[in-house]
């Protein structure tokens, strides 16, 4: 299933993005979260993941814990 099949269009996909909902300050049920991000992801940076964790933590009292993936030995 592609994102287009699930969301229908890009506007709906953006509306459903947790990071943007938190940024908009929407009142959402936010359970504790573990946020981790590898440094080889071409779409999401480690800084973006850290920012998401910080915003989540600010609105949910310390419930998002940022972490980093370790690189595997070649």
């Amino acid at each position: 299933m592609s994102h287009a099949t699930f969301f229908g269009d890009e506007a709906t996909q953006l509306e459903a993005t947790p990071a943007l909902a938190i940024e908009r300050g929407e009142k959402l049920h936010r359970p504790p979260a573990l946020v981790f991000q590898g440094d080889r992801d071409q779409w999401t940076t480690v800084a973006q993941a850290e920012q998401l964790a910080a915003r989540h933590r600010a609105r949910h009292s310390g419930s998002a814990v940022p972490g980093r993936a370790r690189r595997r030995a070649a």
Side-chain angles (χ1 to χ4, degrees), residues 23-71:
E23 188 175 306
R24 290 188 298 260
E26 292 182 19
K27 297 230 180 232
L28 303 170
H29 171 68
R30 288 186 291 273
L34 174 62
V35 178
F36 60 96
Q37 180 64 39
D39 59 4
R40 293 184 181 181
D41 188 324
Q42 64 179 338
W43 302 109
T44 304
T45 66
V46 171
Q48 288 171 319
E50 290 172 342
Q51 188 176 52
L52 170 64
R55 287 182 177 145
H56 190 287
R57 191 171 36 257
R59 289 176 174 79
H60 201 290
S61 187
S63 61
V65 180
R68 290 189 181 204
R70 294 184 187 178
R71 289 186 184 202

